[in-house]
DNA sequence: GCGACAG
DNA sequence: ATCTTGTCGC
């Protein structure tokens, strides 16, 4: 992984060019959700795979040490490695779509964590963030940035920012979230926090 | 210079 | 993300 902010930004611009913002997959039957919880710089990462009926097929976890602090716009530096690490543990089943708890193309350089992970693994990926980072939401929900529609905000009370990670169109990404919600992410969130808590109660 | 700022 | 009590609303 790169070290300086300048190198990271340069890398993001290169990765952004490789993002395929259109549907490029067969069938989406299995969805994988990943999330990370922290205790200082110790990262507790969880990944779960569910079918379209939201039935759990596999669950794995991994503990790593974060090498970079959190910096807005450069979340990939802190969270990508833990995610790659935990995804390597998925062996009994494969997945068709990866759901990341972060922005995808709806990012200052069109390369949020979801894009970086998706392009690196070359997997259909969508980004679902819980808060705003950049761009302006139109009345219809689509979010524009630099004259482009790069994301969509869903939900009135609990707003979710959906954007393309890789090999999925924004329309499909939105359809997936509207149909299945973010259960994979919710379960991964619960598991990562449980993992962290379990470790903490361990003298 | 001032405000905004994923997890 | 994490630190944290009571409190407002469906």
């Amino acid at each position: 992984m790169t070290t300086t902010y300048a190198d990271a930004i340069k890398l993001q611009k290169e990765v952004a060019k490789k993002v395929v913002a259109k549907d490029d997959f067969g069938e989406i039957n299995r969805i994988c959700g990943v999330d990370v919880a922290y205790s200082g710089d110790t990262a507790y990462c969880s990944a779960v795979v569910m079918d379209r009926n939201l039935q759990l097929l596999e669950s794995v976890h991994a503990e790593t040490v974060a090498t970079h602090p959190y910096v807005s716009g450069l979340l990939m530096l802190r969270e990508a490695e833990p995610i790659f690490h935990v995804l390597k543990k998925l062996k009994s089943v494969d997945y068709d779509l990866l759901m990341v708890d972060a922005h995808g193309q709806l990012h200052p350089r069109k390369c949020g964590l979801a894009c970086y992970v998706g392009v690196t693994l070359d997997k259909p990926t969508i980004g679902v963030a819980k808060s705003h980072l950049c761009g302006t939401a139109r009345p219809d929900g689509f979010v524009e940035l630099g004259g482009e529609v790069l994301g969509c905000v869903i939900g009135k009370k609990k707003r979710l920012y959906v954007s393309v990670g890789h090999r999925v169109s924004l329309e499909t990404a939105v359809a997936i979230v509207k149909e299945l919600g973010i259960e994979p992410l919710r379960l991964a969130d619960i598991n990562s926090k449980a993992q962290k808590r379990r470790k903490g109660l361990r003298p």
Side-chain angles (χ1 to χ4, degrees), chain A residues 124-184:
Chain A
T125 306
I126 66 175
V128 182
K130 304 180 195 63
S131 58
H132 170 91
L133 171 62
C134 59
T136 305
R138 313 188 306 207
D140 64 5
F142 285 98
V143 184
E144 297 183 350
L145 179 65
E148 284 184 295
V149 172
L150 299 178
C152 185
V153 54
I154 298 174
K156 198 68 176 182
K157 285 185 68 68
K158 329 280 186 180
R159 305 196 303 178
L160 295 176
Y161 294 78
V162 179
S163 63
V164 174
H166 186 50
R167 294 175 54 181
V168 177
S169 65
L170 177 57
E171 292 66 31
T172 296
V174 170
I176 291 291
V177 177
K178 284 188 175 179
E179 180 195 324
L180 306 175
I182 56 173
E183 296 317 302

Side-chain angles (χ1 to χ4, degrees), chain A residues 35 87 128 203:
Chain A
D35 194 28
L87 290 180
V128 182

Side-chain angles (χ1 to χ4, degrees), chain A residues 53-119:
Chain A
N53 292 313
L54 303 182
Q55 294 307 300
L56 181 63
L57 301 179
E58 183 176 9
S59 175
V60 294
H61 58 79
E63 179 183 327
T64 62
V65 176
T67 55
H68 294 72
Y70 165 71
V71 176
S72 180
L74 295 176
L75 176 62
M76 57 177 253
L77 290 182
R78 183 174 176 76
E79 216 146 285
E81 285 307 324
I83 289 176
F84 291 146
H85 200 84
V86 77
L87 290 180
K88 288 178 183 174
K89 292 195 168 187
L90 289 174
K91 290 183 178 179
S92 64
V93 298
D94 193 11
Y95 54 90
D96 308 304
L97 178 76
L98 180 62
M99 193 178 282
V100 179
D101 184 19
H103 288 291
Q105 286 196 305
L106 186 55
H107 174 279
R109 289 170 291 282
K110 295 177 67 173
C111 184
L113 174 64
C115 292
Y116 182 67
V117 172
V119 169

